[in-house]
Amino acid sequence: MTQLENWRVRGSYFEGCNCDAICPCRSIGGRPGGPSSFGICYGSLSWRIADGHADDVDLSGLDVALSLRYRDDISPSTPWEVVLYIDERADDAQHDALAAIFLGRAGGSVAQLYGPAIGTVHAVRRPRITLEHVATRKRIDVAGYLRVEAVGAASEVGDVRCGIPGYDHPGTELYGDVLESTDGTMRWEIRSPRRASFATDFDYRADAATERR
């Protein structure tokens, strides 16, 4: 495992899942979230790193995505099954640092937020990743593996919070209409309006003190 002492990554965040919008796991108006809509949750998360480093390795300008699946119709919920996708432009040092950070193995924010939920890591892949976090239609496109799209606000700006970027980063719920994974380890396809999506910013760091619900 890559050992990192001083790291920080920050930028924009966008995700989509199979739940109904607004995703019931979100915090709304300070109220804690609850179980997923259908008892089995699957979807994809994405991060565009505007500014970042891990020790002396520059991580700025790179993209990361992660697919996940878990069940919460049983107690306790099952650990997440995940596939991590790291920007093909990353060199070996950047790749290793990003894998350690976004799988929660480097400690810090991720280990406090969603890292403990990760169980099986099916694969860490290195594809071409195209993210659109700014335009009205948000998009995740991981070549050969994933596509997620969303358009139209399902909440007011700042009304909704999510534990993955952190509850101290309020954002906007969106209506997702494309959710597709053709990865051999995890497959699904939904083309239906009003699926759950969410956009905000993120700031993960080695020495984080994060707000949790």
Side-chain angles (χ1 to χ4, degrees), residues 29-113:
R31 298 184 300 276
S36 65
S37 296
F38 306 111
I40 300 177
C41 182
Y42 50 86
S44 300
L45 324 175
S46 67
W47 300 264
R48 166 153 286 171
I49 302 169
D51 180 47
H53 73 276
D55 296 329
D56 59 353
V57 177
D58 184 18
L59 302 175
S60 302
L62 296 174
D63 297 330
V64 178
L66 182 143
S67 276
L68 66 92
R69 178 174 57 204
Y70 69 92
R71 292 182 60 183
D72 61 4
D73 57 349
I74 57 176
S75 183
S77 300
T78 62
W80 290 4
E81 300 174 66
V82 307
V83 177
L84 183 67
Y85 303 95
I86 295 176
D87 201 319
E88 66 175 1
R89 298 172 297 160
D91 63 25
D92 288 346
Q94 291 170 322
H95 175 278
D96 291 349
L98 291 171
I101 290 169
F102 284 93
L103 290 174
R105 296 169 179 171
S109 302
V110 177
Q112 295 178 33
L113 294 169

Side-chain angles (χ1 to χ4, degrees), residues 152-197:
S155 75
E156 296 298 322
V157 176
D159 275 0
V160 180
R161 299 169 188 252
C162 172
I164 296 171
Y167 291 110
D168 51 344
H169 291 263
T172 305
E173 187 80 2
L174 304 167
Y175 289 118
D177 55 10
V178 177
L179 183 70
E180 179 180 355
S181 172
T182 57
D183 196 303
T185 59
M186 293 196 287
R187 293 180 178 272
W188 52 75
E189 181 176 4
I190 295 178
R191 295 176 184 273
S192 172
R194 308 185 78 82
R195 298 300 96 203
S197 290

Side-chain angles (χ1 to χ4, degrees), residues 44-46 64-67 84-86 125-131 139-148 180 182-183:
S44 300
L45 324 175
S46 67
V64 178
L66 182 143
S67 276
L84 183 67
Y85 303 95
I86 295 176
R125 308 198 191 281
R126 208 168 190 164
R128 183 176 74 254
I129 301 174
T130 303
L131 302 180
R139 181 167 60 97
I140 306 169
D141 189 348
V142 179
Y145 297 107
L146 294 179
R147 192 153 72 95
V148 179
E180 179 180 355
T182 57
D183 196 303

